[in-house]
Amino acid sequence: MNSNRTFVAMILLSVSVFLSWMAGLVAAFPLMPTRWVLGPKLFWGLNFAVGGSLLALGQYEWGGVFVVLTILLGSFTEFESRGDTLQSAAACSILVTLIVSAGLFGAIYSIYGSEIIQAIKTTFDSTFVSLNEMYNQRFGQELVSEEMVAAIKMQAPSFVVMGLIVSLVFGLLGESRLLKLSGVRGGPKKFYKLNAFRLHDVFIWLFIFSLLGSFWQYENQAVKTVSANVLNVTVLLLFLQGLAVMSKFYQVFRIGTFWRVFWTVLLIVQLSMGIVILGLIDYWLDFRGRMLKHAAQLKEGQKKHSGRK
């Protein structure tokens, strides 16, 4: 690597390590382009060395987040460079991450024993205790009840998968932007476009059946738990599809950056379920196809009008 490439790589890697401590999943934003700057061998070697060092120093949460992100984003870019579709690369990298992480956790547990389980449990419990204390001081009541904590524990598998999905989104947002900003050559032959994200038919049916399974009145707790976990993941995916529709709207109708950010933040904060519904309806109405058709008709009309002049 030349000196400029080495400098960019070290900056991106340092920021990734720092963010994995301060902001967790946001570290994916600079970590994804790091893979293209360093190359596969250096990326895997350096990142596992850093993650292993953090774990060895007893920084389980910090080191764990960094190692998991390394596996996720590293495997994703391998599938990406092979030319897989966005959906295929994402699904395969999440599956690889879950399998490898489970194996690594088993190896770490065999070394440290119950110490690491206790560290995870302490972090989990202290988080809710802190939230309740802050909320109680301000509003005079608890934010999270014991029943809610139990429900969250039962839905933990879906939260893990959702965290991996959100990490990939952050990584994809940083991939093309930071590589272009740094001026370093590299990256896949063709960057994935999030506004082209479209769910497979099966996820729509999973959403419908998991919705019924979560809210239908019956006593089978196992089915309810599975349904709730599937529902969480499918709702997030539909939310991302809704954002993809919005992004395509901004692109087709040439909405400025300020207004893109303004309306996106406003809708996420105030009408997040509306974005989910938009993503669901897009399955049947194909808003993006209609936008492109409308834009093509406008362009054709403008050409005819200018030709008459």
Side-chain angles (χ1 to χ4, degrees):
M1 287 195 301
N2 58 42
S3 57
N4 180 51
R5 199 178 187 90
T6 303
F7 175 74
V8 171
M10 290 303 101
I11 290 294
L12 288 174
L13 184 58
S14 299
V15 172
S16 301
V17 174
F18 175 74
L19 285 178
S20 65
W21 171 53
M22 289 294 294
L25 307 182
V26 180
F29 190 84
L31 192 57
M32 178 89 88
T34 306
R35 155 62 178 82
W36 298 110
V37 178
L38 286 173
K41 293 180 181 178
L42 272 177
F43 175 82
W44 290 110
L46 279 175
N47 282 22
F48 274 127
V50 171
S53 299
L54 291 172
L55 291 171
L57 292 170
Q59 300 293 328
Y60 300 126
E61 296 87 356
W62 187 3
V65 168
F66 189 77
V67 169
V68 168
L69 287 178
T70 295
I71 298 168
L72 176 69
L73 302 177
S75 59
F76 180 86
T77 53
E78 297 302 326
F79 292 116
E80 185 181 22
S81 61
R82 203 175 65 174
D84 289 8
T85 64
L86 171 59
Q87 291 84 342
S88 174
C92 291
S93 60
I94 288 173
L95 183 61
V96 167
T97 302
L98 292 173
I99 294 172
V100 175
S101 298
L104 288 175
F105 182 81
I108 294 170
Y109 180 76
S110 67
I111 298 172
Y112 295 100
S114 59
E115 181 183 345
I116 189 168
I117 299 293
Q118 187 60 40
I120 294 172
K121 186 177 182 301
T122 300
T123 301
F124 186 86
D125 292 339
S126 63
T127 299
F128 289 109
V129 169
S130 300
L131 285 172
N132 279 334
E133 286 178 352
M134 289 187 295
Y135 198 81
N136 192 29
Q137 288 176 359
R138 186 166 184 180
F139 299 103
Q141 60 183 11
E142 290 188 343
L143 175 64
V144 184
S145 64
E146 292 184 5
E147 291 78 10
M148 289 178 65
V149 173
I152 291 170
K153 288 180 178 179
M154 294 297 290
Q155 296 175 45
S158 65
F159 296 143
V160 171
V161 175
M162 291 166 72
L164 297 178
I165 293 171
V166 172
S167 297
L168 281 177
V169 173
F170 280 126
L172 286 167
L173 289 173
E175 186 179 46
S176 60
R177 288 167 175 79
L178 291 183
L179 282 177
K180 291 175 181 177
L181 185 65
S182 66
V184 174
R185 292 183 179 180
K189 293 179 180 178
K190 185 178 180 181
F191 289 108
Y192 290 127
K193 293 182 178 180
L194 288 174
N195 61 16
F197 174 70
R198 191 181 298 275
L199 286 174
H200 192 275
D201 298 2
V202 68
F203 287 98
I204 304 300
W205 295 109
L206 281 173
F207 168 75
I208 294 171
F209 286 124
S210 63
L211 187 66
L212 292 173
S214 297
F215 295 100
W216 195 269
Q217 297 298 322
Y218 57 92
E219 298 300 324
N220 194 323
Q221 191 59 42
V223 174
K224 278 193 172 184
T225 300
V226 172
S227 297
N229 279 278
V230 174
L231 181 63
N232 290 338
V233 175
T234 52
V235 164
L236 175 61
L237 292 173
L238 287 170
F239 177 79
L240 294 176
Q241 181 156 302
L243 287 179
V245 173
M246 290 169 56
S247 178
K248 178 60 75 172
F249 175 83
Y250 297 149
Q251 179 189 357
V252 169
F253 294 99
R254 299 179 182 179
I255 307 299
T257 303
F258 172 80
W259 290 110
R260 292 187 187 201
V261 174
F262 175 81
W263 285 113
T264 301
V265 171
L266 181 65
L267 289 171
I268 289 175
V269 173
Q270 298 293 332
L271 291 170
S272 55
M273 282 308 299
I275 299 176
V276 174
I277 294 170
L278 176 65
L280 179 63
I281 297 175
D282 181 62
Y283 171 72
W284 288 283
L285 297 184
D286 187 19
F287 291 119
R288 284 167 283 186
R290 291 168 182 260
M291 287 179 208
L292 291 173
K293 184 178 179 180
H294 179 67
Q297 290 174 345
L298 285 177
K299 191 174 182 180
E300 186 65 28
Q302 288 173 354
K303 284 183 179 180
K304 290 180 178 179
H305 182 70
S306 60
R308 289 172 186 170
K309 289 183 176 180

